[in-house]
Amino acid sequence: MPSPLILVNLKSYKEGMGNRAHQIATAAQLVSRESGVTIGVAPGYIDLHPLAHHFAVPVYAQHVDGYEPGAHTGHITAESLKVAGAAGSLVNHSERRLTLADIEAAVRALHGQKLSAVVCTNNDITSAAAAALGPEYVAIEPPELIGSGVSVSKANPDIIRRSVAAVHAVNKEVKVLTGAGIQCGECVKIAVDLGTDGVLLASSVVKAPDPAAVLRDLVSKL
Amino acid sequence: MPSPLILVNLKSYKEGMGNRAHQIATAAQLVSRESGVTIGVAPGYIDLHPLAHHFAVPVYAQHVDGYEPGAHTGHITAESLKVAGAAGSLVNHSERRLTLADIEAAVRALHGQKLSAVVCTNNDITSAAAAALGPEYVAIEPPELIGSGVSVSKANPDIIRRSVAAVHAVNKEVKVLTGAGIQCGECVKIAVDLGTDGVLLASSVVKAPDPAAVLRDLVSKL
Amino acid sequence: MPSPLILVNLKSYKEGMGNRAHQIATAAQLVSRESGVTIGVAPGYIDLHPLAHHFAVPVYAQHVDGYEPGAHTGHITAESLKVAGAAGSLVNHSERRLTLADIEAAVRALHGQKLSAVVCTNNDITSAAAAALGPEYVAIEPPELIGSGVSVSKANPDIIRRSVAAVHAVNKEVKVLTGAGIQCGECVKIAVDLGTDGVLLASSVVKAPDPAAVLRDLVSKL
Amino acid sequence: MPSPLILVNLKSYKEGMGNRAHQIATAAQLVSRESGVTIGVAPGYIDLHPLAHHFAVPVYAQHVDGYEPGAHTGHITAESLKVAGAAGSLVNHSERRLTLADIEAAVRALHGQKLSAVVCTNNDITSAAAAALGPEYVAIEPPELIGSGVSVSKANPDIIRRSVAAVHAVNKEVKVLTGAGIQCGECVKIAVDLGTDGVLLASSVVKAPDPAAVLRDLVSKL
C-alpha cells in the first residue's frame, strides 16, 4: 500500500508566505524523511517556483484554470505550473469554486502537462461526480467543518465512508483525501482507516509556531 | 420504450416571450397530441406560471438555484418553481454555468419539490459527472455546435454515443438528451437511434414563423 | 420635496411568496394611501407580474441582466420586466453581485425600457462609482449590518452622510437609499434627515405577522 | 508633463512566459532607456518575482484580489504582490472581470501596500465609475476592438475623448490609458494627443519576433 499523502494548503495566510513558506516546506521535508510519509505543500503562486526548486517535497498550486496558453489575462495555466516545477494543483477548492466545465478543463489541462489533479468537493455526491473526471485525488471537505476546529474524522466519519464508496463506485483508480478540522495524528489515522489515502489541511500546520512538531504528530499513528 | 422528449428552450428570445410563448406552447400541445411525442417548453420566468397553468405540456424553468427559501435576493428557488407549476428545470445551461456544488444543490432542491432536473453538459466526461448527481436527464450540447446551424447528430454522432455510454456507466437510470443545431426530423431520429431519450433545442422552433410545422417535422421520423 | 421611498425586498423568503406576497403588497398599498409615502415591493420573478397588475404600488424586480433579448438562457431581460409591469429593478444586491460592466449594462437596459434602476452598494466609494452610471437610486447597505438587527441609521450614520455626499459629488440627480437593519420609524427618520431619499429593507416587514403594522411604524415619523 | 506609460500585458501567451518574458522585459528596459518613455510589463504570476528583481522597468500583476491575507485559497493578495516586487496590478481586465465591490477592495488593497492600480473598463461610463475608486490609472478598452487588429485610436477616437472627459469630470488625478488594437507609433501618438497618459497593449509586442523593434516603433512619435 502506498504511503498516505499529507497535503498542507498554505492558503493566503500571512503565516504561509515568503520565509514562512520556506520554513513550512523545510518542516515538511524533514518530517517526510523521518517518517517515510509523503508530505506536500500548496503555497501561493509567488512561492511556487522557489519552493519547487529548493525542496524535495511535492509542491501543488492552489488553483489552475483549464486554459491553453493564450489571451487569458490574470489566469493560471497548467503550462505555467509545469514551468514552475509544480507536482500538480488543487482544483475547485471551497474558497475557489469552479463550474463543472471548468473543473473538467482544469483536470484535462493538468494531465496534458503530466501534473496531478486534486479536485475538492463538499459531499459524497459531488465526490462521485468529481471521480468521473478522472483526477488523481478527490478531496472531500464538509463545508460546515472547515476552519471549525472540529475534525471531520471524529465529527462525521460517515461522510468519509460514503465518499470513499461513492468515488470508488465511479472510478476505482481515484484516491480520496479528506479535510476540515484535521489537527492531530488520531484524526489522520481515523481518516486512513476509513479508506482515504491521506488528508488535506491548512491552519493547524500553517499557523503553528513549530510546524515540524505538528507534522510529526500528524504522521505519528500511521 | 417511453416516448422521447422534445424540449424547446425559449431562451430570452424576443420571439419566445409573451404572446409568442403562448403560441409556441399551443403548437407544442397540438403536435404532442397528434404524434404522441412528449414536447416540453422552457420559457422565461415571467411566462412560467401562465404557460404551466394554460397548457398540458411539461413546462421547465431555464435555471434554478439550489437555495432553500431565505435571504437570497434575485435567485430562483425550486419552491417558487413548484408554486408556478413547473415540471422541472434546466440546470447548468451553457449560457448559465454553475459550480459543481451549485449544480448538485440545484438537483437536490428540485428533487425536494418532486421536480425534474435536466443538467446540461459540454462533453462526455462532464456528462458522466452530471450523471453521478442523479438527475432525470443529462443534456449534452457540444459548445462549438450551439447556434451553428450544424446538427450534432450529423456533425458529431460519436460524442452522442460516448456520452450515452459514459452516463449509463455511472447511472443507468439517467436519461440522455442531446442538442446543438438540431433542426429536422432526421436529426432527431439519429439522436434517438444513438441511444438518447430526446433532444433539447431552441432557435429552430422559437424563431420559426410556424412553430407547429417545425415541431411536426421534428417528430416525423419517430 | 418628493416623498421618500420605502422599498420592501421580499428576497426568497418563504414569508414573501405567493399569498404572502399579495398580503405584503396589500399592506404596502394600504399604508401608502394612508400616509402619502411611496412604498414599493420587490418580489420574486414569479410574483412580479401578478403584483404589478393587482396593486397600485411600484413593483421592482430583485435583479436584471443587461442583455438584449437573445440567446441568454436563464437570464432576466429588462424587456421581460417591462412586459411584466415592473417599475424598475434592484441591481447588484449584496446577495447578487455583478461585474461593473454588467451593472452598467443593466442600468442601460432598464433605461432603454424606461424602468428605474436601484443600484446597491457596500460603502461610500462604491456608491460614488455607482452614481457615475446614472441610476435613479443608489442604495447603500454596509454588509456587516445586513440582517444584524442593528440599524445602519443608528450604528453608522457617518457612512450614510459620506455616501450621500459622495453620490452627489458625482451626480446630483441620483437619489440615495440606505438599508441594513432598518426596522422602525426612527431609523427611517434618521436616514431621511441624513439626506437619503428613503430606505431599502426586507425581513422586518416580510417576516412580520402584521406587515401593515410595521409599515405604519416605519412611516410614522416622516 | 510626465512621460506616457506603455504597458505590455503578457497575458497567458506562450510567447510571454519564462525566457520570452525575460526577453520582452529586456526589450522594455532597453527601449525605455533609449527613449525616456516608461515601459512596463505585466507577466504571469510565476514570472512576476524574477522580472521585478532583474529589471528596472515597472512590473505589474495581471490581477489581484482585494483580500487581506487569510483563508483565501487560490487568490492573489496585494501583500504577495508587494513581496514579489510588483509596482502595481491590472484590475478588472476584460478577461478577468470583477464585481464592483471587488474592484474597490482590490484598489484599496493595492493602495494599502503602496502599489498602483490600473482599473480596466469597457466604455466611457464605466470609466467614470472606475475613476470614483481613485486608482492611478483607468484603462479603457472597447471590447469589440480587443484583438481585432484595428486600433482604437483610429477606429473610435471619440470613445477615447469621451472617456478622458468622463474620468476627469469625476477625478482629475486619475490618469487614462487606452487599449485594443494598438500596434504602431501613430496609434500611440493619437491616443496621447486625445488626452490619454499612455496605452495598454499585448499581442503586438508579445507575439513579435523582435519585441524591441515594435517597442521602438510604438514610442517613435512621442
Side-chain angles (χ1 to χ4, degrees):
Chain A
M1 200 175 96
S3 157
L5 170 64
I6 310 287
L7 182 47
V8 183
N9 177 3
L10 307 194
K11 299 196 173 185
S12 296
Y13 287 129
K14 204 179 189 69
E15 302 88 346
M17 288 174 63
N19 286 345
R20 273 291 295 184
H22 280 255
Q23 189 184 338
I24 293 164
T26 302
Q29 184 170 277
L30 175 69
V31 177
S32 183
R33 282 175 180 167
E34 289 169 8
S35 64
V37 175
T38 306
I39 303 178
V41 293
Y45 305 112
I46 299 297
D47 292 312
L48 200 56
H49 184 90
L51 292 199
H53 284 261
H54 293 147
F55 296 95
V57 298
V59 177
Y60 287 78
Q62 293 178 13
H63 163 78
V64 63
D65 295 291
Y67 288 122
E68 293 298 303
H72 307 297
T73 300
H75 292 274
I76 315 289
T77 61
E79 189 142 346
S80 74
L81 299 185
K82 185 69 174 189
V83 169
S89 183
L90 299 181
V91 176
N92 193 45
H93 189 274
S94 66
E95 292 155 10
R96 192 76 168 81
R97 288 293 191 222
L98 299 178
T99 68
L100 173 57
D102 286 344
I103 299 171
E104 191 268 331
V107 172
R108 197 155 23 95
L110 288 168
H111 289 176
Q113 298 293 330
K114 304 197 183 308
L115 298 173
S116 286
V118 181
V119 178
C120 301
T121 57
N122 58 319
N123 62 30
D124 55 329
I125 303 176
T126 51
S127 296
L133 309 177
E136 278 62 33
Y137 290 95
V138 168
I140 156 81
E141 300 190 291
E144 67 279 12
L145 296 178
I146 295 175
S148 70
V150 177
S151 158
V152 62
S153 304
K154 296 181 177 178
N156 198 346
D158 232 47
I159 201 181
I160 300 180
R161 237 178 249 118
R162 279 186 284 122
S163 296
V164 170
V167 164
H168 291 161
V170 170
N171 185 337
K172 279 192 206 318
E173 305 297 312
V174 176
K175 294 175 199 161
V176 180
L177 302 181
T178 191
I182 302 283
Q183 46 195 329
C184 66
E186 203 192 337
C187 310
V188 177
K189 173 81 164 70
I190 295 173
V192 170
D193 287 348
L194 289 167
T196 69
D197 301 273
V199 297
L200 176 61
L201 40 67
S203 58
S204 59
V205 172
V206 181
K207 298 190 161 187
D210 182 353
V214 176
L215 287 169
R216 264 186 207 109
D217 180 37
L218 286 165
V219 303
S220 62
K221 310 273 170 110
L222 295 175
Chain B
M1 199 177 98
S3 157
L5 171 64
I6 310 287
L7 183 47
V8 183
N9 177 4
L10 307 194
K11 299 195 173 185
S12 296
Y13 288 129
K14 203 179 189 70
E15 302 88 343
M17 286 174 63
N19 287 344
R20 273 289 296 185
H22 280 255
Q23 191 184 336
I24 292 164
T26 302
Q29 185 170 276
L30 176 68
V31 177
S32 183
R33 283 177 180 166
E34 289 171 6
S35 64
V37 175
T38 306
I39 303 178
V41 294
Y45 305 112
I46 299 297
D47 293 311
L48 199 57
H49 184 91
L51 292 198
H53 284 262
H54 293 147
F55 295 95
V57 298
V59 177
Y60 288 78
Q62 292 177 14
H63 163 78
V64 63
D65 295 291
Y67 288 122
E68 293 298 301
H72 307 295
T73 300
H75 293 273
I76 314 289
T77 61
E79 189 142 347
S80 74
L81 299 184
K82 185 69 175 187
V83 168
S89 183
L90 299 181
V91 175
N92 193 45
H93 188 275
S94 66
E95 292 155 10
R96 193 75 168 82
R97 289 292 192 222
L98 299 177
T99 68
L100 173 57
D102 285 344
I103 299 171
E104 191 269 332
V107 171
R108 196 154 26 92
L110 288 168
H111 288 175
Q113 299 292 330
K114 304 198 182 308
L115 298 173
S116 285
V118 181
V119 178
C120 301
T121 56
N122 58 319
N123 62 30
D124 55 330
I125 302 176
T126 51
S127 296
L133 309 177
E136 280 61 33
Y137 291 96
V138 167
I140 155 81
E141 301 190 290
E144 66 280 11
L145 296 177
I146 295 175
S148 70
V150 176
S151 158
V152 61
S153 305
K154 296 181 178 180
N156 197 347
D158 231 47
I159 201 180
I160 300 180
R161 238 178 250 119
R162 279 185 284 122
S163 295
V164 170
V167 164
H168 291 162
V170 171
N171 185 336
K172 278 193 204 319
E173 304 296 311
V174 176
K175 294 173 199 161
V176 180
L177 301 181
T178 192
I182 302 283
Q183 45 195 330
C184 67
E186 202 193 338
C187 310
V188 177
K189 173 83 164 69
I190 295 173
V192 171
D193 287 348
L194 290 168
T196 71
D197 301 273
V199 297
L200 175 61
L201 40 69
S203 59
S204 59
V205 172
V206 181
K207 298 191 161 187
D210 182 354
V214 176
L215 286 169
R216 265 188 206 108
D217 180 38
L218 287 164
V219 303
S220 63
K221 311 273 169 109
L222 295 177
Chain C
M1 199 175 99
S3 157
L5 170 64
I6 310 287
L7 182 47
V8 182
N9 178 3
L10 307 194
K11 299 196 173 184
S12 297
Y13 287 129
K14 204 178 189 70
E15 302 89 344
M17 286 174 62
N19 287 344
R20 273 291 296 184
H22 279 255
Q23 190 184 337
I24 293 164
T26 302
Q29 184 170 277
L30 176 68
V31 177
S32 183
R33 282 174 181 169
E34 290 170 7
S35 65
V37 175
T38 306
I39 303 178
V41 293
Y45 305 113
I46 299 297
D47 293 313
L48 199 57
H49 183 92
L51 293 198
H53 284 261
H54 292 148
F55 296 95
V57 297
V59 176
Y60 288 78
Q62 293 177 14
H63 163 77
V64 63
D65 293 292
Y67 288 122
E68 293 298 302
H72 306 296
T73 300
H75 291 275
I76 315 289
T77 60
E79 189 142 347
S80 75
L81 299 184
K82 185 70 175 189
V83 168
S89 182
L90 299 181
V91 175
N92 193 45
H93 189 273
S94 66
E95 292 155 12
R96 193 76 168 82
R97 288 293 192 222
L98 299 178
T99 68
L100 173 57
D102 286 345
I103 299 171
E104 191 269 331
V107 171
R108 197 154 25 92
L110 288 168
H111 288 176
Q113 298 293 329
K114 304 197 182 308
L115 299 173
S116 285
V118 181
V119 178
C120 301
T121 56
N122 58 319
N123 62 29
D124 55 329
I125 302 176
T126 51
S127 296
L133 308 177
E136 279 62 34
Y137 290 95
V138 168
I140 156 80
E141 300 190 290
E144 67 279 11
L145 297 177
I146 295 175
S148 69
V150 177
S151 158
V152 61
S153 305
K154 295 181 178 180
N156 198 347
D158 231 47
I159 201 181
I160 301 181
R161 237 178 251 119
R162 278 186 284 122
S163 296
V164 170
V167 165
H168 290 161
V170 170
N171 185 337
K172 278 190 206 320
E173 304 296 311
V174 176
K175 294 174 197 160
V176 180
L177 301 180
T178 190
I182 301 284
Q183 46 195 327
C184 68
E186 203 192 338
C187 310
V188 177
K189 173 81 163 70
I190 295 172
V192 171
D193 286 348
L194 290 168
T196 70
D197 302 273
V199 297
L200 175 62
L201 39 68
S203 59
S204 59
V205 172
V206 181
K207 298 191 161 186
D210 183 352
V214 176
L215 286 168
R216 265 187 206 108
D217 180 37
L218 286 164
V219 303
S220 62
K221 310 273 168 108
L222 295 176
Chain D
M1 200 176 98
S3 156
L5 170 64
I6 311 288
L7 182 47
V8 182
N9 177 4
L10 308 194
K11 299 196 173 186
S12 296
Y13 288 128
K14 204 178 189 69
E15 302 89 344
M17 287 174 62
N19 286 345
R20 274 290 295 185
H22 280 254
Q23 190 184 336
I24 293 165
T26 302
Q29 184 170 278
L30 175 68
V31 176
S32 183
R33 282 177 181 167
E34 290 170 8
S35 65
V37 175
T38 306
I39 303 178
V41 295
Y45 305 113
I46 300 298
D47 293 312
L48 200 57
H49 184 91
L51 293 198
H53 284 261
H54 293 148
F55 297 93
V57 297
V59 176
Y60 287 78
Q62 293 178 14
H63 163 77
V64 63
D65 294 293
Y67 288 122
E68 294 297 303
H72 307 295
T73 300
H75 292 274
I76 314 290
T77 60
E79 189 142 347
S80 75
L81 299 185
K82 185 70 175 188
V83 168
S89 182
L90 298 182
V91 175
N92 192 45
H93 188 274
S94 65
E95 293 155 10
R96 192 77 169 80
R97 288 293 192 221
L98 299 178
T99 69
L100 173 58
D102 286 343
I103 299 171
E104 191 268 331
V107 171
R108 196 154 25 92
L110 288 168
H111 288 176
Q113 299 294 328
K114 304 197 182 309
L115 297 173
S116 286
V118 181
V119 178
C120 300
T121 57
N122 58 318
N123 62 30
D124 55 329
I125 303 176
T126 51
S127 296
L133 309 177
E136 279 62 33
Y137 290 96
V138 167
I140 156 81
E141 300 190 290
E144 67 279 11
L145 297 178
I146 295 175
S148 69
V150 177
S151 158
V152 61
S153 304
K154 296 182 178 178
N156 197 346
D158 230 46
I159 201 181
I160 301 181
R161 237 178 250 119
R162 278 185 285 123
S163 296
V164 170
V167 164
H168 291 161
V170 170
N171 186 335
K172 279 191 205 320
E173 305 296 311
V174 176
K175 293 175 199 162
V176 180
L177 300 181
T178 191
I182 302 284
Q183 46 196 328
C184 66
E186 201 192 338
C187 309
V188 177
K189 173 83 163 71
I190 295 173
V192 171
D193 286 349
L194 290 168
T196 70
D197 302 273
V199 297
L200 176 60
L201 40 68
S203 58
S204 59
V205 172
V206 181
K207 297 189 162 189
D210 181 354
V214 176
L215 286 169
R216 264 187 208 110
D217 180 38
L218 287 165
V219 303
S220 62
K221 310 272 168 108
L222 295 177

